[in-house]
Amino acid sequence: MVMGTALAEMQDERGNRSSEGEFILLGLSDKPYLEMLLFVFFLISYILTMLVNLAIIVVSQLDPSLNTPMYFFLSNLSILDLCYTTSTVPQMLVNFRSAHKFISWAGCVAQLFIFLSLGSTECLLLAVMAYDRYAAVCQPLHYTTIMSPRLCWVMAGGSWLSGITNSIVQTSLTLQLPLCGRNRVDHFFCEVPALLRLACADIFINEAELFAISVLFLLVPLGLVLVSYGYIGAAVLRIQSAEGRRKAFNTCASHLIVVSLFYGTAIYMYLQPPSHHSQNHGKMVSLFYGIITPMLNPVIYTLRNKDVHGALRKTLGRWRWKQRA
């Protein structure tokens, strides 16, 4: 009896060690006909995301006219989106074209930590950007006083620090769970809800902690975004020009659509117990806040802006002049 118990414990220990060697990311292995299509789509999306966000960062730094709080926060968002997509998409592309869809234990931990910290930071940064737009539209005479350089650095730094702290807590709690040899993750990448489903122990505390943190990082910032845009909408209605109102509403609507897509899909994923998820729906939903919104952010927030168009033309003009010289 004792020998049997000891043998079972040794087998469990080996199982946990083997699960820590690598994880199998199932993704769409049950639908291989979709993998080539998604490979092409995500490759193009990733290249566009990299190029456009890099362009925004460079132009914001080189053009003095863009040294404003709005473009300071947009540069932060571009850096976030670059790192956010890079933490998952390259591994996904490799697995789409590979028969053995695996990620090492260390790689999974790194991916989990980076994706979670950057995702949490973006939740807060979008709320900060909405407040910046509220101050610009509703308090234009006091805007430079309200959005001082010091406050901008504090809000951006606080968003990054809070996101990293949240990731440390959630990653630590998730990695403490025993897996009993389970290493087949029914997802495209390592994410908390997907890893919780592998646990062979009671995950009530983890689910409660995940719910509480998700309320803090998703519902509260979303509420602040909606309040800010509510005030902005009221200010827009007071614009005398019909054309001015139309342009302002188009801009606000496009911002809200992207914000709703990001928060809405993340809320679906994180504000319900992992055991209640439809696995196929969950992993497809994660693609919206993990890949699609980082691709849309620069298009919606920046590339439709005339100031950025002018700065890009000036930067390209200077570069061409130097090349000829």
Side-chain angles (χ1 to χ4, degrees), residues 19-25 83-84 86-92 95 102-116 167 171 175 185 188-191 195:
S19 70
E20 292 181 359
E22 68 177 31
F23 287 95
I24 308 299
L25 297 172
C83 301
Y84 194 46
T86 300
S87 69
T88 57
V89 176
Q91 180 70 48
M92 287 172 57
N95 284 347
F102 76 97
I103 184 172
S104 67
W105 185 84
C108 186
V109 172
Q111 189 178 76
L112 176 67
F113 175 79
I114 294 170
F115 186 80
L116 192 55
S167 183
T171 301
L175 294 177
V185 183
F188 296 104
F189 47 86
C190 292
E191 194 174 14
L195 293 177

Side-chain angles (χ1 to χ4, degrees), residues 21-82:
E22 68 177 31
F23 287 95
I24 308 299
L25 297 172
L26 298 178
L28 287 176
S29 55
D30 58 332
K31 298 181 179 66
Y33 55 90
L34 288 177
E35 289 192 336
M36 186 61 191
L37 180 63
L38 288 180
F39 174 83
V40 174
F41 175 75
F42 290 145
L43 178 61
I44 294 172
S45 299
Y46 181 61
I47 292 172
L48 289 175
T49 301
M50 294 289 288
L51 292 176
V52 175
N53 281 298
L54 282 172
I56 290 168
I57 294 167
V58 171
V59 169
S60 297
Q61 295 301 312
L62 294 180
D63 196 302
S65 67
L66 300 184
N67 291 334
T68 63
M70 182 176 107
Y71 293 103
F72 170 75
F73 292 126
L74 283 171
S75 296
N76 272 267
L77 184 63
S78 292
I79 294 169
L80 263 177
D81 287 338
L82 278 175

Side-chain angles (χ1 to χ4, degrees), residues 8 13 18 24 40 45 57 62 114-115 126 150 160 189 204 208 228-229 236 247 273 284 286 289 292 308 317 319 321:
E13 189 178 347
S18 67
I24 308 299
V40 174
S45 299
I57 294 167
L62 294 180
I114 294 170
F115 186 80
L126 289 174
R150 182 176 180 276
W160 283 89
F189 47 86
F204 174 77
S228 297
Y229 275 96
V236 168
K247 288 182 179 179
M284 296 305 291
S286 67
Y289 59 80
I292 294 174
V308 176
W319 180 77
W321 183 82

Side-chain angles (χ1 to χ4, degrees), residues 12-262:
D12 285 345
E13 189 178 347
R14 285 196 206 101
N16 278 328
R17 265 198 237 120
S18 67
S19 70
E20 292 181 359
E22 68 177 31
F23 287 95
I24 308 299
L25 297 172
L26 298 178
L28 287 176
S29 55
D30 58 332
K31 298 181 179 66
Y33 55 90
L34 288 177
E35 289 192 336
M36 186 61 191
L37 180 63
L38 288 180
F39 174 83
V40 174
F41 175 75
F42 290 145
L43 178 61
I44 294 172
S45 299
Y46 181 61
I47 292 172
L48 289 175
T49 301
M50 294 289 288
L51 292 176
V52 175
N53 281 298
L54 282 172
I56 290 168
I57 294 167
V58 171
V59 169
S60 297
Q61 295 301 312
L62 294 180
D63 196 302
S65 67
L66 300 184
N67 291 334
T68 63
M70 182 176 107
Y71 293 103
F72 170 75
F73 292 126
L74 283 171
S75 296
N76 272 267
L77 184 63
S78 292
I79 294 169
L80 263 177
D81 287 338
L82 278 175
C83 301
Y84 194 46
T85 52
T86 300
S87 69
T88 57
V89 176
Q91 180 70 48
M92 287 172 57
L93 294 175
V94 170
N95 284 347
F96 279 144
R97 306 306 301 149
S98 173
H100 187 42
K101 306 175 189 301
F102 76 97
I103 184 172
S104 67
W105 185 84
C108 186
V109 172
Q111 189 178 76
L112 176 67
F113 175 79
I114 294 170
F115 186 80
L116 192 55
S117 61
L118 296 178
S120 302
T121 302
E122 184 155 339
C123 289
L124 301 179
L125 190 62
L126 289 174
V128 168
M129 291 169 64
Y131 175 75
D132 172 69
R133 291 299 81 212
Y134 156 78
V137 174
C138 301
Q139 306 287 336
L141 298 179
H142 304 286
Y143 177 66
T144 54
T145 304
I146 296 171
M147 299 303 296
S148 64
R150 182 176 180 276
L151 181 62
C152 292
W153 278 101
V154 167
M155 289 197 295
S159 299
W160 283 89
L161 182 61
S162 300
I164 292 170
T165 303
N166 174 47
S167 183
I168 291 172
V169 172
Q170 289 207 51
T171 301
S172 300
L173 288 174
T174 303
L175 294 177
Q176 289 174 7
L177 291 170
L179 303 182
C180 304
R182 301 173 184 174
N183 69 339
R184 298 172 68 83
V185 183
D186 192 11
H187 209 306
F188 296 104
F189 47 86
C190 292
E191 194 174 14
V192 173
L195 293 177
L196 289 183
R197 285 197 293 268
L198 298 183
C200 56
D202 184 12
I203 59 172
F204 174 77
I205 293 177
N206 297 77
E207 289 183 337
E209 179 271 338
L210 182 62
F211 182 85
I213 292 293
S214 298
V215 169
L216 186 62
F217 278 84
L218 290 171
L219 291 186
V220 173
L222 177 59
L224 294 175
V225 169
L226 295 178
V227 169
S228 297
Y229 275 96
Y231 280 106
I232 291 171
V236 168
L237 288 174
R238 292 194 292 269
I239 296 175
Q240 298 298 322
S241 165
E243 181 65 16
R245 283 198 304 272
R246 186 186 63 81
K247 288 182 179 179
F249 271 122
N250 285 342
T251 300
C252 291
S254 60
H255 288 186
L256 284 174
I257 287 170
V258 175
V259 165
S260 300
L261 188 64
F262 178 80

